[in-house]
């Protein structure tokens, strides 16, 4: 008799009709669905350009007509991109910068979150957290003006300080050896507030009873951090690491283009990445098919790296994978 009631209840739940809550949730999700359809999925059709020699057909036709009328060239555009003189340099810069960004930014964010979470003055902790989070909302265009004020050769604050100490002024926008450090420092400074907030939120979600039990057992602050805090933020750390690996073939266009002043020729081999190369190609007379091929290669590699990172995590710690 009990089994029949249970089976009837399960069958009733499965056959439940569409409710008012389902309608409300669906309506709430529609703007997000439309946004992804219009700005994420619909533009995927443009991938076709990477396999065509796009040309304007006579007669003043629209984009779609010209696209379908253009000749297929297969992987010719990809071959041109892979064999170009800039490919190796762009690949090196994009990957190495992102590896440095991931390692340094994660270390600073975790370290800062641990420091702020252990501050006794909670009001002071909130003030510091807000101050560190502020740069995240600043545009790279605004930051580029501050950087220019610091590094401009004629009246920059850095050269003023150097000459006041008896040194020679530095032509910052012509000396490429300084820019890897400048870019890493700026990226870390701008993004550390966001990362710290993520880890602070994870730290505050840890059960306080664990810390109380550790204090009763005589655990020091270092032992509490090692055995409670770090394992507690591990899922968030792994998730952020996987997502960052998905962006290893991308770069922050504002950081590399705006801050450097449009990538002058003297800095080209040091600060150029795939994103800046694609932008400059669009602005030039280069065939659009070759530019699309570079962008498509970048997208495929980004998808591959995030899947690979997730696979590696699943082999090491299956519980913390995201897919």
């Amino acid at each position: 008799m009990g089994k029949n009631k249970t089976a009837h209840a399960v069958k009733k739940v499965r056959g439940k009709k569409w409710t008012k809550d389902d309608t409300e949730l669906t309506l709430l999700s529609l703007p997000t669905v439309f946004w992804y359809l219009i700005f994420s999925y619909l533009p995927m059709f443009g991938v076709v350009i990477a396999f065509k020699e796009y040309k304007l057909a006579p007669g003043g036709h629209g984009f779609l007509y010209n696209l379908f009328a253009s000749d297929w060239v297969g992987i010719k555009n990809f071959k041109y991109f892979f064999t170009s003189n800039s490919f190796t340099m762009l690949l090196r810069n994009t990957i190495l910068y992102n590896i440095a960004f991931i390692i340094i930014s994660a270390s600073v964010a975790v370290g800062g979150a641990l420091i702020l979470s252990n501050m006794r003055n909670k009001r002071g902790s909130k003030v510091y957290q807000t101050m560190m989070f502020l740069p995240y909302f600043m545009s790279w265009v605004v930051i580029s003006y501050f950087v220019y004020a610091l590094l401009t050769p004629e009246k920059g604050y850095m050269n003023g300080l150097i000459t006041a100490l008896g040194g020679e002024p530095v032509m910052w926008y012509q000396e490429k050896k300084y820019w890897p450090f400048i870019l890493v420092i700026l990226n870390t400074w701008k993004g550390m507030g966001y990362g710290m907030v993520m880890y602070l939120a994870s730290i505050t979600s840890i059960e306080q009873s664990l810390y109380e039990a550790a204090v009763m057992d005589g655990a020091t602050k270092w032992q509490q951090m090692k055995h409670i805090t770090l394992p507690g933020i591990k899922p968030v750390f792994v998730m952020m690491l996987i997502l960052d690996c998905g962006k290893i073939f991308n770069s922050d266009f504002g950081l590399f283009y705006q801050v450097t002043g449009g990538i002058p020729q003297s800095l080209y081999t040091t600060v150029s990445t795939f994103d800046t190369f694609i932008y400059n190609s669009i602005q030039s007379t280069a065939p659009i098919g070759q530019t699309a091929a570079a962008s498509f290669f970048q997208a495929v590699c980004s998808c591959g790296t995030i899947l690979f990172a997730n696979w590696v995590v699943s082999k090491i710690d299956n519980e913390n994978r995201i897919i």
Side-chain angles (χ1 to χ4, degrees), residues 9-62:
V10 171
K11 190 174 182 180
K12 186 176 180 181
V13 170
R14 288 180 178 176
K16 193 174 182 180
K17 295 182 179 180
W18 188 273
T19 64
K20 182 180 178 182
D21 291 340
D22 296 328
T23 303
E24 292 175 351
L25 292 174
T26 303
L27 292 175
L28 286 173
S29 66
L30 283 180
T32 304
V33 172
F34 287 141
W35 190 93
Y36 275 101
L37 287 175
I38 295 172
F39 296 104
S40 296
Y41 288 96
L42 189 60
M44 287 184 183
F45 176 74
V47 171
V48 178
I49 303 176
F51 302 93
K52 286 203 166 196
E53 186 176 1
Y54 184 79
K55 292 182 178 179
L56 297 177
H61 297 283

Side-chain angles (χ1 to χ4, degrees), residues 222-233:
W222 168 254
Q223 292 172 328
Q224 294 175 40
M225 180 184 69
K226 181 180 179 181
H227 298 288
I228 300 176
T229 308
L230 292 180
I233 65 175

